[in-house]
Amino acid sequence: MLDQFRPRKLAEDNVELLDTKEITQDLKVELPQSVEDLLQFFDGAIVFEKRASFPATHSIFSDEDGMLDLEVLYGRSNGFWGIVAANKRYTEYLPVGSLAIGEVAGGNVIGVSLKTGAVFLFIHDELRPSDAIETLYLSIDEFWSALEIGDEKRDIDTGVDYEKLEWKL
C-alpha cells in the first residue's frame, strides 16, 4: 500500500541493515508484527516523493484541511535514520513502552505504544510533558489505512535532496 506514495530510500553512507532480532535486542523491546513487517518491506528509512498525509484534525500541527504530512519512516539501518538510532535519540522523551517509527513535518515523532498498539504524535518542543503526546489512531493498521496520496509532489522543504535518493521500489 505504501508504495503508492513513491517512497524513496534515504541514502546513508557506511550503514548496514539490521535484522529484526538485532533491533529487538538493541532496543530491548518486542516489535509489533506490523512494525516488523514495515521494516522488512522497506529495509532502510524512506521519505515520500508524493505527499503522504493522514487526517489529524485535533492536532495543533495539522494544515487547514486537518492533515499532517508523514515525512520519514525509520528503517532497519544502523545509521542516523535507523529505528534503533532514532529511538535512542528520543529515549528520554518518549513514554516508557513506546517505539518511534517515523517523523512528521516539523520533526515531531510518530510513535507506537507497545502495550496498546495506539499510534501517537510526540511533540518534541512541548514545554509541558503532559501535552507532548497526542493519540492519533488506535492501531498501526488504522494509521496505514488513513494515509492519503497527494497528486502533487511535496512542496515542503525536508532538507532532503530528492534527486540524490535511490529508488527503493
Side-chain angles (χ1 to χ4, degrees), residues 1-123:
M1 196 273 298
L2 293 177
D3 57 334
Q4 301 172 65
F5 295 95
R6 298 198 57 195
R8 287 188 173 194
K9 185 176 174 184
L10 273 169
E12 291 187 273
D13 294 330
N14 303 315
V15 297
E16 297 175 12
L17 291 180
L18 305 172
D19 63 34
T20 53
K21 184 178 178 183
E22 291 172 296
I23 294 168
T24 299
Q25 290 172 342
D26 283 351
L27 295 177
K28 298 175 179 58
V29 299
E30 190 66 33
L31 295 176
Q33 188 61 51
S34 52
V35 172
E36 214 172 295
D37 292 346
L38 178 74
L39 291 172
Q40 293 297 333
F41 184 75
F42 284 121
D43 291 336
I46 59 163
V47 293
F48 297 95
E49 183 179 71
K50 288 192 173 186
R51 184 178 184 199
S53 58
F54 54 91
T57 54
H58 58 281
S59 175
I60 61 170
F61 293 100
S62 299
D63 65 15
E64 63 276 356
D65 296 322
M67 303 294 284
L68 271 176
D69 288 344
L70 180 60
E71 299 271 328
V72 175
L73 285 174
Y74 304 133
R76 293 189 301 129
S77 79
N78 63 352
F80 182 83
W81 293 107
I83 196 166
V84 171
N87 278 276
K88 288 183 177 180
R89 277 195 303 277
Y90 297 115
T91 191
E92 65 185 83
Y93 306 107
L94 291 174
V96 173
S98 66
L99 183 71
I101 61 168
E103 294 181 17
V104 297
N108 294 311
V109 174
I110 292 289
V112 175
S113 166
L114 298 173
K115 182 178 180 181
T116 67
V119 175
F120 63 86
L121 176 67
F122 169 70
I123 305 165

Side-chain angles (χ1 to χ4, degrees), residues 148-159:
E148 296 182 11
I149 303 170
D151 292 328
E152 75 283 354
K153 287 194 174 192
R154 293 161 43 92
D155 61 353
I156 56 176
D157 181 15
T158 62

Side-chain angles (χ1 to χ4, degrees), residues 114-143:
L114 298 173
K115 182 178 180 181
T116 67
V119 175
F120 63 86
L121 176 67
F122 169 70
I123 305 165
H124 67 82
D125 55 0
E126 176 57 56
L127 297 176
R128 294 182 304 216
S130 61
D131 292 338
I133 304 293
E134 293 181 7
T135 300
L136 299 171
Y137 295 94
L138 298 179
S139 71
I140 292 177
D141 292 335
E142 188 180 311
F143 175 66

